[in-house]
Coordinates of all heavy atoms in Angstrom, one line a residue:
M1 N 0.8 -1.2 -0.1 CA 0.0 0.0 0.0 C 0.9 1.2 -0.1 O 2.0 1.2 0.6 CB -0.9 0.0 1.2 CG -1.9 -1.0 1.2 SD -3.5 -0.2 1.4 CE -4.1 -0.9 2.8
F2 N 0.3 2.3 -0.6 CA 1.1 3.6 -0.8 C 0.6 4.5 0.4 O -0.5 4.4 0.8 CB 0.8 4.2 -2.0 CG 1.2 3.5 -3.2 CD1 0.5 2.8 -4.0 CD2 2.6 3.6 -3.5 CE1 0.8 2.1 -5.1 CE2 3.0 2.9 -4.6 CZ 2.2 2.1 -5.4
K3 N 1.6 5.1 1.0 CA 1.3 6.1 1.9 C 1.2 7.5 1.3 O 2.2 7.8 0.6 CB 2.4 6.3 3.0 CG 2.2 5.5 4.2 CD 3.1 5.9 5.3 CE 2.6 5.4 6.6 NZ 3.5 5.6 7.7
R4 N 0.1 8.1 1.5 CA -0.1 9.4 0.8 C 0.2 10.6 1.8 O -0.2 10.5 2.9 CB -1.5 9.6 0.3 CG -1.8 8.5 -0.8 CD -3.2 8.9 -1.3 NE -3.6 7.8 -2.3 CZ -4.6 7.9 -3.0 NH1 -5.5 8.9 -2.9 NH2 -4.9 6.8 -3.9
E5 N 0.9 11.6 1.2 CA 1.1 12.7 2.0 C -0.1 13.7 2.1 O -0.5 14.1 0.9 CB 2.3 13.5 1.6 CG 2.7 14.6 2.4 CD 3.8 15.4 1.8 OE1 4.8 14.7 1.1 OE2 4.1 16.6 2.2
V6 N -0.9 13.8 3.0 CA -2.0 14.5 3.2 C -1.6 15.9 3.6 O -1.0 16.2 4.6 CB -3.0 13.9 4.1 CG1 -4.3 14.7 4.2 CG2 -3.4 12.5 3.7
K7 N -2.1 16.9 2.8 CA -2.0 18.3 3.1 C -3.3 19.0 3.1 O -4.2 18.7 2.3 CB -1.0 19.0 2.0 CG 0.4 18.5 2.0 CD 1.3 19.3 1.0 CE 2.6 18.8 1.1 NZ 3.4 19.6 0.1
M8 N -3.4 20.0 3.9 CA -4.6 20.8 4.0 C -4.5 21.8 2.8 O -3.5 22.3 2.3 CB -4.6 21.7 5.2 CG -4.6 20.8 6.6 SD -4.7 21.7 8.0 CE -6.3 22.6 7.9
V9 N -5.8 22.1 2.3 CA -6.0 23.0 1.3 C -5.3 24.3 1.6 O -4.8 24.9 0.6 CB -7.4 23.1 0.8 CG1 -7.7 24.1 -0.3 CG2 -8.0 21.8 0.5
K10 N -5.4 24.9 2.7 CA -5.0 26.1 3.1 C -3.4 26.2 2.8 O -2.9 27.1 2.3 CB -5.3 26.3 4.6 CG -4.6 27.6 5.2 CD -4.8 27.7 6.6 CE -3.8 28.7 7.2 NZ -3.8 28.6 8.7
D11 N -2.8 25.1 3.2 CA -1.2 25.0 3.1 C -0.9 25.0 1.6 O 0.1 25.5 1.1 CB -0.8 23.8 3.8 CG -0.9 23.8 5.2 OD1 -1.0 25.0 5.8 OD2 -1.0 22.8 6.0
L12 N -1.7 24.2 0.8 CA -1.3 24.1 -0.6 C -1.6 25.5 -1.3 O -0.8 25.9 -2.2 CB -2.4 23.1 -1.3 CG -2.1 21.6 -0.9 CD1 -3.1 20.8 -1.5 CD2 -0.7 21.3 -1.4
V13 N -2.7 26.1 -0.9 CA -2.8 27.5 -1.5 C -1.8 28.6 -1.2 O -1.3 29.2 -2.1 CB -4.3 28.2 -1.1 CG1 -4.5 29.5 -1.4 CG2 -5.4 27.3 -1.5
L14 N -1.4 28.4 0.2 CA -0.3 29.3 0.6 C 1.0 29.0 -0.2 O 1.8 30.0 -0.6 CB -0.1 29.2 2.1 CG -1.1 29.9 2.9 CD1 -0.8 29.7 4.5 CD2 -1.1 31.5 2.7
Q15 N 1.2 27.7 -0.4 CA 2.4 27.4 -1.1 C 2.5 27.8 -2.6 O 3.5 28.4 -3.1 CB 2.5 25.7 -1.2 CG 3.8 25.2 -1.8 CD 3.8 23.7 -1.9 OE1 3.0 23.0 -1.3 NE2 4.7 23.1 -2.7
V16 N 1.3 27.7 -3.2 CA 1.2 28.2 -4.7 C 1.3 29.8 -4.6 O 2.0 30.3 -5.5 CB -0.2 27.8 -5.2 CG1 -0.5 28.6 -6.5 CG2 -0.3 26.2 -5.4
L17 N 0.7 30.4 -3.7 CA 0.9 31.9 -3.6 C 2.4 32.2 -3.5 O 2.8 33.2 -4.0 CB 0.1 32.5 -2.4 CG -1.4 32.5 -2.7 CD1 -2.1 33.0 -1.4 CD2 -1.7 33.5 -3.8
R18 N 3.1 31.5 -2.6 CA 4.6 31.8 -2.4 C 5.4 31.6 -3.7 O 6.2 32.3 -4.2 CB 5.1 30.9 -1.4 CG 4.8 31.6 0.0 CD 5.6 30.8 1.1 NE 4.9 31.1 2.4 CZ 4.2 30.1 3.0 NH1 4.3 28.8 2.5 NH2 3.6 30.3 4.1
E19 N 5.0 30.5 -4.4 CA 5.7 30.1 -5.5 C 5.5 31.1 -6.6 O 6.4 31.4 -7.5 CB 5.4 28.7 -6.1 CG 5.9 27.5 -5.1 CD 5.3 26.2 -5.6 OE1 4.4 26.1 -6.4 OE2 5.6 25.3 -4.9
Q20 N 4.3 31.7 -6.7 CA 4.1 32.7 -7.9 C 4.3 34.1 -7.4 O 4.1 35.1 -8.2 CB 2.4 32.6 -8.2 CG 2.0 31.3 -8.6 CD 2.6 30.9 -10.0 OE1 2.8 31.7 -10.8 NE2 3.1 29.7 -10.1
G21 N 4.8 34.2 -6.1 CA 5.2 35.7 -5.8 C 4.0 36.6 -5.4 O 4.1 37.8 -5.5
L22 N 2.9 35.9 -5.2 CA 1.7 36.7 -4.8 C 1.4 36.8 -3.2 O 0.3 37.4 -2.9 CB 0.5 36.0 -5.5 CG 0.6 35.9 -7.0 CD1 -0.5 35.1 -7.5 CD2 0.6 37.3 -7.6
E23 N 2.1 36.2 -2.4 CA 1.8 36.3 -1.0 C 2.1 37.7 -0.5 O 1.1 38.1 0.3 CB 2.7 35.2 -0.2 CG 2.3 35.2 1.2 CD 3.3 34.2 2.0 OE1 4.4 34.0 1.6 OE2 2.8 33.8 3.0
T24 N 3.0 38.3 -0.8 CA 3.4 39.7 -0.3 C 2.3 40.7 -0.7 O 1.7 41.4 0.1 CB 4.7 40.0 -0.6 OG1 5.6 39.2 0.0 CG2 5.1 41.5 -0.1
P25 N 2.0 40.7 -2.1 CA 0.9 41.6 -2.4 C -0.5 41.4 -1.8 O -1.2 42.3 -1.4 CB 0.8 41.5 -3.9 CG 2.1 40.7 -4.4 CD 2.6 40.1 -3.1
L26 N -0.8 40.1 -1.6 CA -2.1 39.8 -1.0 C -1.9 40.1 0.5 O -3.1 40.8 1.0 CB -2.2 38.2 -1.0 CG -3.6 37.7 -0.3 CD1 -4.7 38.2 -1.1 CD2 -3.6 36.2 -0.3
N27 N -0.9 40.1 1.3 CA -0.8 40.5 2.6 C -0.8 42.1 2.7 O -1.5 42.6 3.6 CB 0.5 40.0 3.3 CG 0.4 38.6 3.6 OD1 -0.7 37.9 3.8 ND2 1.5 37.9 3.7
Q28 N -0.2 42.7 1.7 CA -0.3 44.2 1.7 C -1.7 44.6 1.5 O -2.2 45.6 2.1 CB 0.5 44.6 0.6 CG 2.1 44.6 0.8 CD 2.9 45.0 -0.2 OE1 2.5 45.2 -1.5 NE2 4.2 45.2 0.1
K29 N -2.5 44.0 0.6 CA -3.8 44.4 0.4 C -4.8 44.2 1.7 O -5.5 45.0 1.9 CB -4.4 43.5 -0.8 CG -5.9 43.8 -1.2 CD -6.3 43.1 -2.4 CE -7.7 43.4 -2.9 NZ -8.6 44.2 -2.1
R30 N -4.5 43.0 2.2 CA -5.2 42.8 3.4 C -5.0 43.8 4.4 O -5.8 44.3 5.2 CB -4.9 41.3 4.0 CG -5.6 40.3 3.2 CD -5.1 38.9 3.6 NE -5.2 38.7 5.1 CZ -4.6 37.8 5.7 NH1 -3.5 36.9 5.1 NH2 -4.7 37.7 7.0
L31 N -3.7 44.3 4.7 CA -3.3 45.2 5.7 C -4.0 46.6 5.2 O -4.6 47.3 6.1 CB -1.8 45.4 5.7 CG -1.3 46.3 6.8 CD1 -0.3 45.6 7.6 CD2 -0.9 47.6 6.3
V32 N -3.9 47.0 4.0 CA -4.5 48.3 3.6 C -6.1 48.3 3.9 O -6.7 49.2 4.4 CB -4.3 48.7 2.2 CG1 -5.1 49.7 1.7 CG2 -2.7 49.0 2.0
E33 N -6.6 47.1 3.7 CA -8.1 47.0 4.0 C -8.4 47.0 5.4 O -9.6 47.2 5.8 CB -8.7 45.7 3.2 CG -8.7 46.0 1.7 CD -9.2 44.7 1.0 OE1 -9.3 43.7 1.6 OE2 -9.6 44.9 -0.2
S34 N -7.5 46.7 6.2 CA -7.7 46.6 7.8 C -7.6 47.8 8.3 O -7.8 48.0 9.5 CB -6.9 45.5 8.3 OG -5.6 45.8 8.4
W35 N -7.0 48.9 7.7 CA -6.8 50.2 8.2 C -8.1 50.7 8.9 O -8.0 51.2 10.0 CB -6.3 51.2 7.3 CG -6.2 52.6 7.7 CD1 -7.2 53.6 7.4 CD2 -5.4 53.1 8.7 NE1 -6.8 54.7 8.0 CE2 -5.7 54.5 8.8 CE3 -4.4 52.5 9.4 CZ2 -5.1 55.4 9.8 CZ3 -3.7 53.5 10.5 CH2 -4.1 54.8 10.6
P36 N -9.3 50.9 8.2 CA -10.5 51.4 9.0 C -10.8 50.6 10.1 O -11.4 51.2 11.1 CB -11.5 51.3 7.9 CG -10.9 51.1 6.5 CD -9.5 50.4 6.8
V37 N -10.6 49.3 10.2 CA -11.0 48.5 11.4 C -10.0 48.9 12.5 O -10.5 48.9 13.6 CB -10.9 46.9 11.0 CG1 -11.2 46.1 12.3 CG2 -11.9 46.6 9.9
V38 N -8.7 48.8 12.3 CA -7.8 49.1 13.2 C -7.9 50.6 13.8 O -7.8 50.9 14.9 CB -6.4 48.7 12.8 CG1 -5.3 49.3 13.9 CG2 -6.2 47.3 12.5
A39 N -7.9 51.5 12.8 CA -7.9 52.8 13.2 C -9.3 53.4 13.8 O -9.3 54.3 14.7 CB -7.6 53.7 12.0
G40 N -10.3 52.7 13.3 CA -11.7 53.1 13.9 C -12.4 53.9 12.9 O -11.9 54.5 12.0
P41 N -13.7 53.9 13.1 CA -14.6 54.7 12.2 C -14.4 56.1 12.0 O -14.5 56.7 11.0 CB -16.1 54.3 12.6 CG -15.9 53.9 14.0 CD -14.5 53.3 14.1
V42 N -14.1 56.7 13.1 CA -13.9 58.2 13.1 C -12.7 58.6 12.2 O -12.8 59.4 11.4 CB -13.8 58.8 14.6 CG1 -13.4 60.3 14.6 CG2 -15.0 58.6 15.3
I43 N -11.5 57.9 12.5 CA -10.2 58.1 11.8 C -10.5 57.7 10.3 O -10.0 58.4 9.4 CB -9.2 57.5 12.5 CG1 -8.9 58.0 13.9 CG2 -7.9 57.5 11.6 CD1 -7.9 57.3 14.6
A44 N -11.2 56.7 10.0 CA -11.5 56.2 8.7 C -12.2 57.3 7.8 O -11.9 57.4 6.7 CB -12.2 54.9 8.7
R45 N -13.0 58.1 8.6 CA -13.8 59.0 7.9 C -12.9 60.2 7.4 O -13.2 60.8 6.4 CB -14.8 59.6 8.8 CG -15.9 60.4 8.2 CD -17.0 60.9 9.2 NE -16.5 60.5 10.6 CZ -17.4 60.7 11.6 NH1 -18.5 61.2 11.4 NH2 -16.9 60.4 12.8
Y46 N -11.8 60.4 8.1 CA -10.9 61.5 7.7 C -9.7 60.9 6.9 O -8.8 61.7 6.4 CB -10.3 62.1 8.9 CG -11.2 62.9 9.8 CD1 -11.8 62.4 10.9 CD2 -11.7 64.2 9.2 CE1 -12.7 63.3 11.5 CE2 -12.5 64.9 9.9 CZ -13.1 64.5 11.1 OH -14.0 65.3 11.7
T47 N -9.7 59.6 6.6 CA -8.7 59.1 5.7 C -9.0 59.2 4.2 O -10.2 58.8 3.9 CB -8.5 57.6 6.0 OG1 -8.1 57.4 7.5 CG2 -7.3 56.9 5.2
L48 N -8.2 59.9 3.4 CA -8.3 60.1 2.0 C -7.8 59.0 1.2 O -8.4 58.5 0.2 CB -7.8 61.4 1.6 CG -8.3 62.6 2.3 CD1 -7.5 63.9 2.0 CD2 -9.8 62.8 2.1
N49 N -6.6 58.5 1.5 CA -5.9 57.5 0.8 C -4.9 56.6 1.7 O -4.2 57.2 2.5 CB -5.0 58.2 -0.4 CG -4.7 57.2 -1.4 OD1 -5.1 56.1 -1.5 ND2 -3.8 57.7 -2.3
T50 N -4.7 55.4 1.3 CA -3.7 54.6 2.0 C -3.1 53.6 0.9 O -3.8 53.1 0.0 CB -4.4 53.6 3.0 OG1 -5.4 52.9 2.4 CG2 -4.9 54.5 4.2
Y51 N -1.8 53.5 1.1 CA -1.0 52.7 0.2 C 0.3 52.3 0.8 O 0.7 52.9 1.8 CB -0.7 53.3 -1.2 CG 0.1 54.4 -1.3 CD1 1.6 54.3 -1.4 CD2 -0.5 55.7 -1.0 CE1 2.3 55.5 -1.4 CE2 0.3 56.8 -1.0 CZ 1.7 56.7 -1.2 OH 2.6 57.8 -1.2
I52 N 0.9 51.2 0.4 CA 2.2 50.7 1.0 C 3.3 50.9 -0.1 O 3.0 50.5 -1.2 CB 2.0 49.2 1.4 CG1 1.0 49.1 2.5 CG2 3.5 48.8 1.9 CD1 0.9 47.7 2.8
Y53 N 4.4 51.4 0.4 CA 5.5 51.5 -0.5 C 6.7 51.4 0.4 O 7.0 52.1 1.4 CB 5.6 53.0 -1.1 CG 6.7 53.2 -2.0 CD1 6.7 52.6 -3.2 CD2 7.9 53.9 -1.7 CE1 7.9 52.8 -4.1 CE2 8.9 54.2 -2.5 CZ 8.9 53.6 -3.8 OH 10.1 53.7 -4.7
N54 N 7.6 50.4 0.1 CA 8.9 50.2 0.7 C 8.6 49.8 2.2 O 9.3 50.3 3.2 CB 9.9 51.3 0.7 CG 10.6 51.3 -0.7 OD1 10.5 50.4 -1.4 ND2 11.1 52.5 -0.9
Q55 N 7.7 48.9 2.4 CA 7.3 48.5 3.8 C 6.9 49.7 4.8 O 6.9 49.6 6.0 CB 8.5 47.7 4.5 CG 8.8 46.4 3.9 CD 9.7 45.6 4.7 OE1 10.5 46.1 5.4 NE2 9.7 44.3 4.6
T56 N 6.4 50.7 4.1 CA 5.8 51.8 5.0 C 4.4 52.0 4.4 O 4.1 52.2 3.3 CB 6.7 53.1 4.7 OG1 8.0 52.8 5.1 CG2 6.2 54.3 5.4
L57 N 3.5 52.2 5.4 CA 2.1 52.5 5.1 C 1.9 53.9 5.0 O 2.3 54.6 6.0 CB 1.1 51.9 6.3 CG -0.4 52.2 5.9 CD1 -0.9 51.6 4.8 CD2 -1.1 51.7 7.2
H58 N 1.4 54.4 3.9 CA 1.3 55.9 3.8 C -0.1 56.1 3.8 O -0.9 55.7 3.1 CB 1.9 56.4 2.4 CG 3.3 56.3 2.2 ND1 4.1 57.3 2.5 CD2 4.1 55.2 1.8 CE1 5.4 56.9 2.4 NE2 5.4 55.6 1.9
V59 N -0.5 57.0 4.8 CA -1.9 57.4 5.0 C -2.1 58.9 4.9 O -1.4 59.7 5.5 CB -2.3 57.0 6.4 CG1 -3.8 57.3 6.8 CG2 -2.1 55.4 6.8
R60 N -3.0 59.2 4.0 CA -3.3 60.7 3.8 C -4.6 61.0 4.4 O -5.6 60.4 4.2 CB -3.4 60.9 2.2 CG -3.7 62.4 1.8 CD -3.4 62.5 0.4 NE -3.8 63.9 0.0 CZ -4.7 64.4 -0.7 NH1 -5.4 63.4 -1.4 NH2 -4.9 65.6 -0.9
L61 N -4.5 62.0 5.3 CA -5.6 62.4 6.2 C -6.0 63.8 5.8 O -5.2 64.7 5.4 CB -5.2 62.5 7.7 CG -4.7 61.0 8.2 CD1 -4.1 61.1 9.5 CD2 -6.0 60.2 8.2
S62 N -7.2 64.1 6.2 CA -7.7 65.5 5.7 C -7.7 66.4 7.0 O -8.0 67.6 6.8 CB -9.2 65.4 5.3 OG -10.0 64.8 6.2
N63 N -7.3 65.9 8.1 CA -7.3 66.7 9.3 C -5.9 66.8 9.9 O -5.3 65.8 10.4 CB -8.3 66.0 10.4 CG -8.4 66.8 11.7 OD1 -7.6 67.6 12.1 ND2 -9.5 66.7 12.2
P64 N -5.3 68.0 10.0 CA -3.9 68.1 10.5 C -3.8 67.7 12.0 O -2.7 67.1 12.3 CB -3.6 69.5 10.2 CG -4.5 70.0 9.2 CD -5.8 69.2 9.4
A65 N -4.7 68.0 12.8 CA -4.6 67.7 14.2 C -4.6 66.2 14.4 O -3.8 65.7 15.3 CB -5.8 68.4 15.0
L66 N -5.4 65.5 13.6 CA -5.5 64.1 13.7 C -4.2 63.5 13.2 O -3.7 62.4 13.9 CB -6.6 63.6 12.8 CG -6.9 62.1 12.9 CD1 -7.2 61.6 14.2 CD2 -8.0 61.7 12.0
R67 N -3.6 64.0 12.3 CA -2.3 63.7 11.7 C -1.3 63.7 12.9 O -0.5 62.7 13.0 CB -1.9 64.4 10.5 CG -0.8 64.0 9.7 CD -0.5 65.0 8.6 NE -1.8 65.5 7.9 CZ -1.9 66.6 7.4 NH1 -0.9 67.5 7.5 NH2 -3.1 66.9 6.8
A68 N -1.2 64.7 13.7 CA -0.2 64.9 14.7 C -0.5 63.8 15.8 O 0.4 63.3 16.3 CB -0.3 66.3 15.3
D69 N -1.8 63.6 16.1 CA -2.1 62.6 17.2 C -1.6 61.2 16.7 O -1.1 60.4 17.6 CB -3.5 62.6 17.5 CG -4.0 63.9 18.3 OD1 -3.0 64.7 18.8 OD2 -5.2 64.2 18.3
L70 N -2.0 60.9 15.5 CA -1.7 59.5 15.0 C -0.2 59.3 14.9 O 0.3 58.1 15.1 CB -2.4 59.3 13.7 CG -3.9 59.1 13.8 CD1 -4.5 58.9 12.4 CD2 -4.3 57.9 14.6
S71 N 0.6 60.3 14.6 CA 2.0 60.2 14.5 C 2.6 59.8 15.8 O 3.6 59.0 15.8 CB 2.6 61.5 14.1 OG 2.4 61.9 12.8
M72 N 1.9 60.1 17.0 CA 2.5 59.8 18.2 C 2.2 58.3 18.6 O 2.8 57.6 19.4 CB 1.9 60.7 19.4 CG 2.5 62.1 19.3 SD 1.9 63.0 20.6 CE 0.7 63.9 19.9
M73 N 1.2 57.7 17.8 CA 0.7 56.3 18.1 C 1.3 55.4 17.0 O 0.8 54.3 16.8 CB -0.8 56.3 18.1 CG -1.5 57.1 19.2 SD -3.3 57.1 19.0 CE -3.7 55.5 18.5
R74 N 2.2 55.9 16.2 CA 2.7 55.2 15.1 C 3.0 53.7 15.3 O 2.7 52.9 14.6 CB 3.7 55.9 14.4 CG 4.1 55.5 13.0 CD 5.0 56.4 12.3 NE 6.2 56.6 13.0 CZ 6.8 57.9 13.2 NH1 6.4 58.9 12.5 NH2 7.9 58.1 13.8
Q75 N 3.9 53.6 16.3 CA 4.4 52.1 16.6 C 3.3 51.2 17.0 O 3.3 50.1 16.7 CB 5.7 52.2 17.6 CG 6.9 52.8 17.0 CD 7.3 52.2 15.6 OE1 7.3 50.9 15.5 NE2 7.7 52.9 14.8
E76 N 2.4 51.8 17.8 CA 1.3 50.9 18.3 C 0.4 50.5 17.0 O -0.1 49.4 17.0 CB 0.4 51.7 19.3 CG -0.7 51.0 19.8 CD -1.6 51.8 20.8 OE1 -1.0 52.8 21.3 OE2 -2.8 51.5 20.9
L77 N 0.3 51.3 16.2 CA -0.6 51.2 15.0 C 0.0 50.1 14.0 O -0.6 49.2 13.5 CB -0.9 52.3 14.2 CG -2.0 53.3 14.8 CD1 -1.9 54.7 14.1 CD2 -3.3 52.7 14.9
V78 N 1.3 50.2 14.0 CA 2.1 49.3 13.1 C 2.0 47.8 13.7 O 1.8 47.0 13.0 CB 3.7 49.6 13.1 CG1 4.5 48.6 12.5 CG2 3.9 50.9 12.2
K79 N 2.1 47.8 14.9 CA 1.9 46.5 15.6 C 0.6 45.8 15.4 O 0.5 44.7 15.1 CB 2.3 46.6 17.0 CG 2.3 45.2 17.8 CD 2.6 45.3 19.2 CE 2.5 44.0 20.0 NZ 1.8 42.8 19.5
K80 N -0.4 46.8 15.7 CA -1.8 46.2 15.5 C -2.1 45.8 14.1 O -2.7 44.7 13.8 CB -2.8 47.2 15.9 CG -2.9 47.5 17.4 CD -3.9 48.5 17.8 CE -4.0 48.6 19.3 NZ -5.0 49.7 19.5
L81 N -1.6 46.6 13.0 CA -1.9 46.2 11.6 C -1.2 44.9 11.3 O -1.8 44.1 10.6 CB -1.5 47.4 10.8 CG -2.4 48.6 10.8 CD1 -1.6 49.8 10.2 CD2 -3.7 48.4 10.1
N82 N 0.1 44.7 11.7 CA 0.8 43.5 11.3 C 0.2 42.3 12.1 O 0.2 41.3 11.5 CB 2.2 43.6 11.8 CG 3.1 44.4 10.8 OD1 2.8 44.5 9.5 ND2 4.0 45.2 11.3
D83 N -0.3 42.5 13.4 CA -1.1 41.5 14.0 C -2.3 41.0 13.2 O -2.7 39.9 13.2 CB -1.4 41.9 15.5 CG -0.2 41.9 16.4 OD1 0.9 41.5 15.9 OD2 -0.3 42.5 17.4
V84 N -3.0 41.9 12.7 CA -4.4 41.7 11.9 C -3.9 40.7 10.8 O -4.6 39.7 10.5 CB -5.0 42.9 11.4 CG1 -6.1 42.5 10.4 CG2 -5.6 43.7 12.6
V85 N -2.9 41.0 10.0 CA -2.4 40.2 8.9 C -1.8 39.0 9.3 O -1.8 37.8 8.7 CB -1.5 41.1 8.0 CG1 -1.1 40.2 6.9 CG2 -2.2 42.2 7.5
G86 N -1.1 38.9 10.5 CA -0.4 37.8 10.9 C 1.0 37.6 10.5 O 1.7 36.6 10.8
E87 N 1.5 38.6 9.9 CA 2.9 38.7 9.4 C 3.4 40.2 9.4 O 2.6 41.0 9.5 CB 3.1 38.1 8.0 CG 2.9 36.7 7.8 CD 3.3 36.2 6.4 OE1 4.2 36.9 5.8 OE2 2.6 35.2 6.0
Q88 N 4.7 40.3 9.5 CA 5.3 41.7 9.4 C 5.3 42.1 7.9 O 6.0 41.7 7.1 CB 6.8 41.7 10.0 CG 7.4 43.0 9.6 CD 8.0 43.6 10.8 OE1 8.1 42.9 11.9 NE2 8.4 44.9 10.7
V89 N 4.3 42.9 7.7 CA 4.1 43.5 6.3 C 4.8 44.8 6.3 O 5.3 45.3 5.2 CB 2.7 43.5 5.9 CG1 2.5 44.1 4.5 CG2 2.2 42.1 5.9
I90 N 4.5 45.7 7.3 CA 5.0 47.1 7.3 C 6.0 47.3 8.5 O 5.8 46.6 9.5 CB 3.8 48.1 7.4 CG1 3.0 48.0 8.6 CG2 3.1 48.2 6.1 CD1 2.0 49.2 8.8
S91 N 6.8 48.3 8.3 CA 7.7 48.6 9.6 C 7.5 50.0 10.0 O 8.0 50.3 11.0 CB 9.1 48.4 9.2 OG 9.4 49.1 8.0
D92 N 6.6 50.8 9.2 CA 6.6 52.1 9.6 C 5.1 52.7 9.0 O 4.6 52.1 8.0 CB 7.6 53.1 9.2 CG 7.8 54.4 9.9 OD1 7.0 54.6 11.0 OD2 8.5 55.3 9.5
I93 N 4.7 53.8 9.6 CA 3.5 54.5 9.0 C 3.9 56.0 8.8 O 4.5 56.5 9.7 CB 2.3 54.5 9.9 CG1 1.9 53.0 10.1 CG2 1.2 55.1 9.4 CD1 0.7 52.8 10.9
R94 N 3.6 56.6 7.7 CA 3.8 58.0 7.4 C 2.5 58.6 7.2 O 1.6 58.1 6.3 CB 4.7 58.2 6.2 CG 6.1 57.6 6.3 CD 6.9 58.6 7.1 NE 8.2 57.8 7.2 CZ 8.9 57.9 8.2 NH1 8.7 58.7 9.1 NH2 10.2 57.4 8.2
F95 N 2.2 59.7 7.9 CA 0.9 60.4 7.8 C 1.2 61.7 7.0 O 2.1 62.4 7.3 CB 0.3 60.7 9.2 CG 0.0 59.4 9.9 CD1 0.9 59.0 10.9 CD2 -1.1 58.7 9.7 CE1 0.6 57.9 11.6 CE2 -1.4 57.6 10.3 CZ -0.6 57.1 11.4
S96 N 0.3 62.0 6.0 CA 0.4 63.2 5.3 C -1.0 63.9 5.1 O -2.0 63.3 5.3 CB 1.1 62.9 3.9 OG 0.3 62.1 3.2

């Protein structure tokens, strides 16, 4: 009798994503989409644009006072966002 190596579908999908180089872009997309959840609905209302460039999340805000407040919470937000994704996707946040 043959012994078959049984793998979970989740593991197979992750393996294919890694092989195709799609794991990082997928994690980046998940992180950007989790910004309103982590930041909260009030902050999300003032957020104009979010994107990732060179492991830095760039967040464009319409309120300068909010920008200053969030700058002081930057490391805490980085940790929370990476925890949501489950991997280290970003290392810093820049507010503009």
